[in-house]
Amino acid sequence: MITAIVLIKTSVDRIPEIAEAVAAIDGVSEVYSVTGSCNLVAMVRVRRHEDLAEVIPGQVNKVPGVTHTETQIAFRTYSQHDLEAAFALGLDE
């Protein structure tokens, strides 16, 4: 699974509607409304790199009100859940 973090700048007066439209796109797993230089952060999870082109420039960038995106590709995923599972391997209770 390939994960991309997409920083999205939008029309400020339509953030909730734009977030809902982006969240409805197949391949987008979450959308966060955030502070800072962008308005939304979307998590995109796809099987192939080629699918990123279909989801991000093909659909996310075409949502009315999206003015700019910047995409970061994840090399690895770290989470508390993953760490707990790794430390639990081989332990007998």
Side-chain angles (χ1 to χ4, degrees), residues 37-87:
S37 61
C38 62
N39 307 102
L40 301 172
V41 174
M43 302 301 291
V44 175
R45 293 183 170 90
V46 294
R47 296 207 180 277
R48 303 173 307 132
H49 280 280
E50 294 82 9
D51 297 335
L52 291 172
E54 294 174 20
V55 174
I56 300 166
Q59 295 180 59
V60 172
N61 286 0
K62 293 182 180 178
V63 170
V66 170
T67 59
H68 178 79
T69 61
E70 181 179 327
T71 302
Q72 308 291 319
I73 305 296
F75 291 128
R76 290 187 180 164
T77 301
Y78 302 90
S79 72
Q80 189 64 33
H81 176 53
D82 295 338
L83 292 174
E84 288 172 3
F87 284 114

